[in-house]
Each structure stands twice: as C-alpha cells, then as structure tokens.
C-alpha cells in the first residue's frame, strides 16, 4: 500500500473478520454488558468524535435511531488502540473508535436482522453526519452486522494489528479474513476511506461508475421490495462523497 509524505501515515489498511464471539464475551463481561448467544446480536464499528462531549451527543442520537427502529442497545465499548506508531497526519485526523452491541429479537430471522441493521445505519448516517459536519467533525459506521466486523484506518499494513489491540488478542478468532491496503488515487486518504468496505474490497477506478450511479438514483423512486417495507429509509443508497470503491460497496 501507499504512504504519504509522512511515511508513517498510510493511505489505508484494514481487515474484515467474523464477529469474534468468544473474545467479545470476555470483553463485554468486564464492561458489564450481558451478551446473548452467538448470532443473537449485531456489532457496529463506529468512528466517532474524538472529544467526549460531542461524542456523547452522537451516541445518544444513534441510540434514538435504534430505539425508533424497534431495537435495543446492549452496551458500548471503547476500542483500545496504540497510536504511538502512527504518523502525525493520521494522528491529527484520528477519530474515537466505538463498538455498539444491538440485541436481535428472538423471533427475527438472521437475514431480516441484517436488513434492519442496514436501515439503522442508513437512518443514523442521515441524522448524525450533517450535524457532525456542522461541528467540524464526522461520523462514520465502518460496519454494522451480526456476521462481520471491520477494523481499518489511515494505517500501513504493518501498523494494522499493532494499532488495533484486539487483533493481537489470543481469544480473537475468525474463519475469514478479507484484507486490503489502499493506494489512494482519485480521493485523498482518510480513516473512513480505508478498506475493507462493508461488503467488499476493490482496487482501481471504475470507468462506468457515474453511469451506474445515475441509473440507480433514477430508479430509487420506483424501487420496492417485500423484504424492505420501508425501503425509502435507505435512500439515497449511494454516498456521493465516497470513493469509486465505496460507492460500488453501497
């Protein structure tokens, strides 16, 4: 992957893994969070405001969205990091990393829960991002799923496992690992633009991306699905501020 003029600030590196249930059971017990069985909860990886006062407002706004969608939050966890290895550019723009745990109702099928988590993310982004940007900061949900979890950032490949301390823990296990190290071309590096995205990784520009975006936007008004009675909550599907790969992931 690429580095900037500050060689310790990478263009971005990350990993997508299975939710490490055994690890989270141990960690959440310390934080007095009672986790249900594996698969019965979702985990969100959130890049929030570095200062506590405004971060609490972001957390409250997110909790309100979860409640309004008919779900409940089990608890929050501060993700431990070691920032001593990263460069000044990465450090000055570094967010605070939070994990949120959301209860799955017992009568809800796993894929239906995934669909609800998708809508929660979309509604939360629409509500929280504009207010955050007005305050000179951002709000980004790297992943929100009952199956997978993304750790990523403005890091080099070598820094990744040392920065996120979870990744070096012996109880942290996964059967899959989707990895990526970014070379930033048509967009500047940022913590949010690092890969993996929520579903995929991708290298290079997409020549047809603008045509695909236009077709999708044009069809949103006619889009319907029995699996999404409130599909309009997901609109717009495309985050126009993202990179080609991020929009492809959308």
């Amino acid at each position: 992957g690429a580095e900037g003029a500050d060689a310790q600030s990478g263009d971005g590196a990350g990993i997508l893994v299975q939710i490490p249930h055994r690890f989270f059971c141990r960690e959440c017990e310390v934080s007095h969070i009672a986790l249900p069985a594996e698969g019965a909860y979702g985990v969100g990886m959130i890049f929030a405001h570095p200062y506590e006062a405004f971060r609490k407002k972001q957390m409250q706004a997110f909790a309100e969205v979860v409640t309004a969608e008919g779900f409940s939050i089990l608890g929050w966890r501060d993700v431990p990091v070691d920032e001593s290895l990263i460069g000044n550019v990465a450090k000055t723009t570094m967010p605070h990393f939070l994990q949120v745990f959301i209860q799955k109702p017992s009568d809800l099928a796993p894929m239906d829960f995934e669909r609800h988590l998708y809508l929660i993310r979309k509604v939360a982004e629409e509500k929280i991002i504009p207010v955050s940007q007005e305050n000179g900061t951002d709000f980004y949900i790297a992943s929100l799923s009952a199956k997978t979890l993304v750790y990523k950032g403005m890091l080099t490949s070598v820094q990744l496992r040392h920065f996120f301390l979870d990744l070096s823990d012996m109880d942290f296990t996964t059967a899959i690992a989707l990895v990526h190290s970014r070379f930033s071309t048509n967009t500047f590096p940022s913590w949010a633009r690092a890969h993996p995205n929520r579903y995929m990784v991708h290298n290079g520009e997409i020549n047809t991306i603008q045509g695909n975006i236009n077709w999708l936007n044009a069809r949103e008004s006619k889009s319907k699905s029995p699996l999404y009675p409130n599909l309009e909550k997901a609109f717009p599907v495309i985050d126009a501020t993202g990179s080609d790969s991020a929009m492809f992931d959308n």
Side-chain angles (χ1 to χ4, degrees), residues 19-231:
I19 289 178
H21 178 63
R22 182 175 67 176
F23 170 78
F24 277 144
C25 282
R26 188 197 77 193
E27 288 296 300
C28 287
E29 185 177 3
V30 173
S31 302
H32 306 291
I33 301 171
L35 280 188
E38 188 171 5
Y41 61 95
V43 183
M45 174 69 90
I46 295 176
F47 294 3
H49 194 280
Y51 299 138
E52 185 177 14
F54 190 74
R55 182 166 70 246
K56 286 187 174 179
K57 293 181 180 179
Q58 291 177 322
M59 293 166 68
Q60 179 60 37
F62 183 87
E64 289 171 358
V65 170
V66 173
T67 302
E69 293 297 315
F71 295 86
S72 59
I73 291 179
L74 296 164
W76 297 83
R77 175 178 182 254
D78 292 307
V79 181
V81 298
D82 179 0
E83 59 183 78
S84 64
L85 297 176
I86 66 174
N88 289 329
V89 175
K91 196 174 295 185
T92 55
T93 58
M94 186 180 75
H96 185 88
F97 304 96
L98 291 171
Q99 286 167 343
V100 60
F101 299 86
I102 300 175
Q103 174 85 54
K104 181 182 87 67
S106 59
D107 60 345
L108 194 62
M111 266 316 298
D112 287 334
F113 187 42
E114 287 293 306
R115 295 183 182 103
H116 280 288
L117 292 175
Y118 169 69
L119 288 182
I120 287 172
R121 176 173 66 79
K122 294 292 290 184
V123 174
E125 288 171 344
E126 185 176 350
K127 180 178 181 179
I128 303 171
I129 289 176
V131 178
S132 298
Q133 291 177 340
E134 288 173 5
N135 285 269
T137 185
D138 206 351
F139 178 84
Y140 178 77
I141 304 174
S143 61
L144 180 58
S145 170
K147 298 182 177 185
T148 57
L149 179 64
V150 171
Y151 288 82
K152 69 176 187 178
M154 205 168 161
L155 308 165
T156 66
S157 303
V158 176
Q159 290 171 343
L160 179 64
R161 70 173 298 172
H162 303 292
F163 179 78
F164 289 110
L165 302 184
D166 291 357
L167 299 178
S168 296
D169 194 288
M170 294 300 291
D171 284 334
F172 193 106
T173 58
T174 178
I176 61 169
L178 185 67
V179 298
H180 189 280
S181 183
R182 185 170 188 247
F183 188 94
S184 183
T185 50
N186 60 340
T187 53
F188 286 108
S190 74
W191 286 87
R193 286 177 179 151
H195 291 210
N197 291 294
R198 300 169 188 113
Y199 289 96
M200 47 68 73
V201 298
H202 171 263
N203 282 322
E205 293 84 7
I206 303 172
N207 294 332
T208 58
I209 188 72
Q210 193 58 55
N212 291 327
I213 292 168
N214 292 342
W215 275 115
L216 187 58
N217 289 340
R219 289 168 173 162
E220 281 185 354
S221 63
K222 297 182 179 180
S223 298
K224 296 180 180 179
S225 170
L227 300 174
Y228 282 99
N230 300 315
L231 184 59

